[in-house]
Amino acid sequence: MQIGMIGLGRMGANMAARLLKGQHQCVVFDHSQKKVEALSKQAVGASSLADFAKKLTKPRAIWMMIPGASVEQLILDLLPHLDPGDILIDGGNSHYADAVRRAKQLAAQKIHYIDCGTSGGVIGLERGYCLMIGGPAEAVKRLSPVFKTLAPGVGDIPRTAGRTISKGTSEEGYLHCGPSGSGHFVKMVHNGIEYGLMAAYAEGMDILAHANVGHREPSHDAETTPLGNPEEFQFDLDLSEIAEVWRRGSVIASWLLDLTAAALVKDPTLARFEGRVSDSGEGRWAIKAAIDQAVPVPVLSAALYSRFSSRGNAEFAEKLLSAMRFEFGGHEEKSDSK
């Protein structure tokens, strides 16, 4: 099948490569011609959106793999080059409500709009991508060969206990979740859960990293709560080995734990990282949706706020805490000795 790919970043380029490997024809475009040229031996490169549209057979199928903030403008730039029956797929992390609106607006011009939440990261090229799809059934069905190629497939993952029949394509790693917006809604919640899982691993490992606190020289000042039982914290633990053993039969084994173990093998002290954790929006949207639905999500909320704090956004609050302690008790700040 022929498909156009706009956006050849870490995800888009790998997705195009996977499609090419699966014998699909790809027409590719990116504002960086170097990225286009990198795929031009196998894919058909385009020099502009007009050139891109001309090189696609009608009805066109165009996959947009760009930041959510850029999708609106790209659609506006593409529209003069599109025809009724064309399909636009937004595979990035856009807000689901935008997908609902865009699908309705484009439907008036007889252009199909599919929102496709895409998970798999940079490993997706070999491992495949989990696809959460929203949009009109006819358009989704037309693109099923593309989804099937991008997805991991059944592979060697055993069937879920008690699941005797397959109700659809979920076992292959892609799913038509429902109407427009549903794909990005499911991906939004997926990313909120991701925040929580990552925070749980990080906090647990942090406890293990400080399990030798009993070796430290005790403090004898009024500003530091003394460690009352130093003999209970005398463990110099190898986090890399712990992550590895947890991967083997543990209840908390997962792909995220696999990645954690790999990171600790590369750099046990994680010295190259400063600990500033970004968020691209989905966690915020998930929490807002939960508020609108009156659904309690304390873990997801805490994980998001932890990311804010990691970027120094709590610095003023922390200074104010110190200022209040000084005002009411004359407490001077004390640097932690590590």
Side-chain angles (χ1 to χ4, degrees):
M1 182 175 182
Q2 187 196 57
I3 187 162
M5 179 70 72
I6 299 178
L8 302 177
R10 290 189 302 271
M11 291 281 283
N14 281 350
M15 291 169 71
R18 186 172 175 89
L19 288 168
L20 290 164
K21 187 178 178 181
Q23 304 305 309
H24 295 277
Q25 182 189 15
C26 290
V27 179
V28 297
F29 175 73
D30 192 279
H31 288 302
S32 168
Q33 280 300 301
K34 287 185 178 179
K35 293 180 179 179
V36 174
E37 290 166 6
L39 285 170
S40 60
K41 288 184 179 180
Q42 294 175 285
V44 178
S47 58
S48 66
L49 289 180
D51 183 43
F52 174 80
K54 286 178 182 178
K55 289 178 175 176
L56 285 167
T57 304
K58 300 178 185 179
R60 306 173 182 88
I62 299 172
W63 194 300
M64 303 176 293
M65 206 63 197
I66 63 174
S70 302
V71 172
E72 198 78 22
Q73 186 59 52
L74 177 57
I75 293 173
L76 291 174
D77 293 341
L78 271 172
L79 273 176
H81 310 292
L82 301 182
D83 295 288
D86 289 350
I87 301 175
L88 284 180
I89 309 105
D90 179 5
N93 289 320
S94 295
H95 194 280
Y96 72 93
D98 289 333
V100 174
R101 172 180 55 80
R102 290 167 184 158
K104 186 176 180 180
Q105 291 172 342
L106 290 168
Q109 301 182 52
K110 298 184 179 180
I111 295 171
H112 305 295
Y113 190 81
I114 291 176
D115 50 289
C116 182
T118 307
S119 181
V122 294
I123 304 176
L125 172 59
E126 297 300 327
R127 194 172 184 261
Y129 300 89
C130 174
L131 305 174
M132 297 146 269
I133 308 158
E138 180 184 346
V140 172
K141 184 177 180 180
R142 186 174 128 200
L143 286 171
S144 58
V146 169
F147 298 137
K148 190 176 182 70
T149 299
L150 287 172
V154 175
D156 58 358
I157 299 175
R159 174 165 279 179
T160 299
R163 186 183 177 98
T164 56
I165 60 171
S166 177
K167 296 188 292 183
T169 58
S170 58
E171 289 183 339
E172 297 182 54
Y174 69 100
L175 177 67
H176 183 201
C177 301
S180 297
S182 63
H184 278 158
F185 189 89
V186 173
K187 179 57 161 46
M188 172 188 76
V189 176
H190 164 284
N191 281 25
I193 293 170
E194 178 185 301
Y195 286 17
L197 290 172
M198 291 174 70
Y201 283 125
E203 291 177 12
M205 284 289 183
D206 206 16
I207 296 172
L208 296 175
H210 288 83
N212 61 356
V213 67
H215 290 314
R216 298 180 187 174
E217 185 69 26
S219 298
H220 301 286
D221 59 83
E223 299 302 315
T224 306
T225 302
L227 181 64
N229 47 348
E231 68 283 356
E232 296 178 8
F233 298 99
Q234 303 281 332
F235 310 122
D236 292 308
L237 302 174
D238 189 328
L239 302 192
S240 176
E241 291 299 291
I242 291 170
E244 190 61 35
V245 76
W246 281 353
R247 294 182 61 228
R248 315 286 173 169
S250 164
V251 169
I252 62 169
S254 72
W255 185 40
L256 276 174
L257 183 59
D258 294 346
L259 298 177
T260 299
L264 290 170
V265 166
K266 293 174 186 174
D267 181 4
T269 65
L270 305 178
R272 61 167 289 203
F273 300 101
E274 294 182 7
R276 295 176 60 86
V277 188
S278 299
D279 74 288
S280 52
E282 299 84 359
R284 305 183 192 203
W285 302 336
I287 292 168
K288 183 181 182 302
I291 292 170
D292 291 343
Q293 298 169 335
V295 174
V297 287
V299 173
L300 273 59
S301 299
L304 177 65
Y305 293 143
S306 176
R307 292 189 175 206
F308 294 164
S309 183
S310 78
R311 305 199 295 267
N313 292 344
E315 185 177 357
F316 182 80
E318 291 160 355
K319 288 181 177 180
L320 188 56
L321 287 172
S322 286
M324 286 188 285
R325 290 189 78 245
F326 181 79
E327 291 298 324
F328 69 66
H331 302 286
E332 297 284 355
E333 288 186 331
K334 181 177 182 293
S335 298
D336 288 332
S337 57
K338 296 185 178 181

